[in-house]
Amino acid sequence: MLLGAIADDLTGATDLALTLSREGMRTVQVVGVPPVGFDYGDAEAVVLALKSRTIPAAEAVAMSLQALERLQQVGARQIIFKYCSTFDSTPEGNIGPVTQALLASLGEELTIVCPAFPTNGRTIYRGHLFVGDMPLSESPMKDHPLTPMTDSSLVRLMQAQTTLPVGLVTLDTVTRGPQAIREAFAKAKAAGTKVLVIDAISDDDLRSIGAAVDDMKLITGGSGIAIGLPENFRKQQELTPRQGHADFDAPAGRAIMLAGSCSKATRGQIQAAIEAGTPTFKIDPLAINAGTLTPAQAIEWADQITGAVPLIYSSADPEIVRAAQAKLGRDRAGELVEHFLGSVATALRDKGFTRFLVAGGETSGAVVGALGVSALFIGPEIDPGVPWTRSLGDAKPVALALKSGNFGADDFFSKAWRLLK
Ligand code: ADP
């Protein structure tokens, strides 16, 4: 085991695992903190998927430190703390507190903050995070139900979440290559900076940064930051040449789509699915709370659909989400939906459904938790950052496509099902 990663949500973990496997590392993804002695097979990289993005900061820190301990027990030499490429967090955290705790526990002096993911339009310039052509604070992330992002300055965002001094390495340094980046690290260290936001607008930038952090024990960022890391191990001839992927065979059985993401991309995908004639069942937290909508109704509905993959969704426009949150509270509204979709998933599995497409990071965490899935084999990529996966170590394996809200093109759903045929 060379590389260990701690991801703050499930879809982000999958995205990272996919990046590492694409770059030539045998990668296993585990859901949650595994027990001591867990068998990772011959994995060169292990990604632990926590659900720590929006829980209280102290709990996120405790969970992340436990994950770190497990990864150290199996020999991880470098640790990635992976969060969302849109830096999903609040002033309380959890990116700052977790980074600070991991740094202290590793006895390290410096780490980087680099959520850039150019393939998906996330770039960092002069410390400001862009989503496509827009600054983060003007992007649809400003309306996120749990972590609305209203500032684009990563230095400011990070500094609000940590007592460690935060600095910046700008693109002009990054484009001068790994040596220039290392020099910037040395300068920052001498100045007492502990956390460095680092610009990146292309995969080449990420590869330069990757080469420059070869001796850094802790790296923080989005899945993009992993692009340049396997090469360091390959250079040291520690990476076994890739064996080639085993064929991905999805278990036979019925299929369902569950969407709890209210992100713009997911809403577009739902619209496209409706236009393509997909049978849909809309749920909303107010009806669940009032007891006028129960999982049994959705289960019964899905069970009688034939000849198409049904879609159950709670996704709604920002003003509808805000209205529900005003009545129920943000967390309660989210929990009602997540619990509902988790119950639907387990009941449908018992009825012979084996293929699940889930939209939403938190939502995916809830569904996977309800299904009791603990480890995933990474399969073919549907759209950038989202693979099909198969549960490992289960008596009744299921195929899972776990999509982070903002990922995927409008035809993501139909593309996903075509891949399994
Ligand atoms: P994304 O990946 O797009 O961020 P998540 O699943 O991580 O999606 O987060 C969406 C959150 O919004 C979840 O907690 C979900 O339960 C909640 N949610 C979904 N639909 C609604 C709704 N109609 N009203 C309020 N909250 C909702």
Side-chain angles (χ1 to χ4, degrees):
M1 233 272 270
L2 302 167
L3 203 53
I6 301 165
D8 72 350
D9 93 330
L10 185 67
T11 48
T14 307
D15 178 15
L16 174 64
L18 185 61
T19 303
L20 291 169
S21 108
R22 208 192 292 119
E23 294 292 329
M25 295 190 95
R26 281 196 300 266
T27 306
V28 167
Q29 182 186 337
V30 181
V31 183
V33 178
V36 177
F38 189 88
D39 181 12
Y40 302 94
D42 56 1
E44 291 159 330
V46 170
V47 180
L48 304 184
L50 308 187
K51 198 174 184 300
S52 58
R53 183 168 294 169
T54 54
I55 63 176
E59 283 173 39
V61 164
M63 199 186 274
S64 305
L65 287 176
Q66 203 189 17
L68 172 65
E69 196 183 293
R70 292 292 188 281
L71 292 169
Q72 285 177 315
Q73 279 161 357
V74 287
R77 297 203 220 146
Q78 193 166 41
I79 301 292
I80 304 175
F81 169 40
K82 154 77 176 73
Y83 37 81
C84 191
S85 60
T86 43
F87 208 74
D88 300 16
S89 53
T90 67
E92 290 75 51
N94 292 334
I95 298 174
V98 170
T99 300
Q100 187 159 352
L102 292 174
L103 208 52
S105 178
L106 285 161
E108 280 283 286
E109 278 181 45
L110 185 71
T111 189
I112 55 164
V113 167
C114 188
F117 192 178
T119 315
N120 268 346
R122 275 58 154 172
T123 55
I124 307 169
Y125 182 65
R126 301 252 148 206
H128 290 263
L129 182 57
F130 289 81
V131 178
D133 296 330
M134 275 177 274
L136 176 65
S137 58
E138 291 171 31
S139 78
M141 276 307 297
K142 68 184 191 310
D143 298 313
H144 190 276
L146 304 178
T147 50
M149 301 306 292
T150 54
D151 191 358
S152 306
S153 160
L154 288 168
V155 174
R156 268 198 305 264
L157 286 166
M158 190 64 180
Q159 194 64 82
Q161 299 181 28
T162 177
T163 55
L164 299 176
V166 181
L168 174 66
V169 180
T170 52
L171 192 65
D172 37 314
T173 302
V174 173
T175 50
R176 283 183 8 244
Q179 192 46 38
I181 300 171
R182 278 194 203 97
E183 283 161 20
F185 290 166
K187 229 190 232 165
K189 261 190 200 170
T193 303
K194 304 279 181 204
V195 179
L196 273 179
V197 172
I198 185 162
D199 281 358
I201 61 166
S202 69
D203 284 359
D204 284 344
D205 297 335
L206 291 172
R207 287 186 199 281
S208 293
I209 296 168
V213 298
D214 58 349
D215 60 352
M216 207 177 253
K217 287 230 180 68
L218 176 68
I219 290 146
T220 89
S223 55
I225 198 59
I227 288 177
L229 301 181
E231 187 59 26
N232 295 331
F233 297 110
R234 200 172 292 119
K235 267 194 197 137
Q236 294 157 23
Q237 300 189 331
E238 286 178 306
L239 213 54
T240 340
R242 198 160 167 198
Q243 310 290 302
H245 269 309
D247 283 343
F248 181 82
D249 53 314
R254 298 166 73 190
I256 182 80
M257 298 189 272
L258 304 169
S261 156
C262 300
S263 298
K264 193 163 174 261
T266 303
R267 285 183 283 129
Q269 287 152 0
I270 290 171
Q271 195 51 41
I274 291 172
E275 281 162 20
T278 298
T280 57
F281 187 99
K282 189 163 189 210
I283 64 170
D284 98 272
L286 292 170
I288 301 171
N289 188 57
T292 54
L293 173 65
T294 62
Q297 290 167 264
I299 295 158
E300 197 184 323
W301 171 83
D303 198 24
Q304 48 83 38
I305 303 278
T306 51
V309 181
L311 165 65
I312 299 172
Y313 70 100
S314 68
S315 320
D317 291 345
E319 61 277 17
I320 295 173
V321 171
R322 273 195 290 270
Q325 290 180 332
K327 279 225 170 98
L328 300 169
R330 184 191 71 179
D331 293 349
R332 172 87 182 134
E335 275 161 23
L336 283 169
V337 170
E338 290 174 30
H339 187 256
F340 187 100
L341 293 175
S343 309
V344 169
T346 44
L348 290 180
R349 182 185 49 191
D350 293 342
K351 287 178 177 291
F353 284 72
T354 59
R355 299 165 171 208
F356 297 80
L357 186 158
V358 189
E362 296 289 329
T363 308
S364 293
V367 167
V368 162
L371 291 175
V373 168
S374 67
L376 296 169
F377 169 84
I378 307 296
E381 193 166 22
I382 304 162
D383 262 334
V386 198
W388 270 109
T389 68
R390 193 182 61 232
S391 64
L392 287 179
D394 275 333
K396 277 200 246 169
V398 291
L400 292 158
L402 307 171
K403 189 191 80 78
S404 175
N406 273 314
F407 282 19
D410 270 355
D411 63 347
F412 179 87
F413 295 170
S414 58
K415 210 188 283 173
W417 297 116
R418 275 200 306 276
L419 257 182
L420 282 200
K421 295 248 162 73

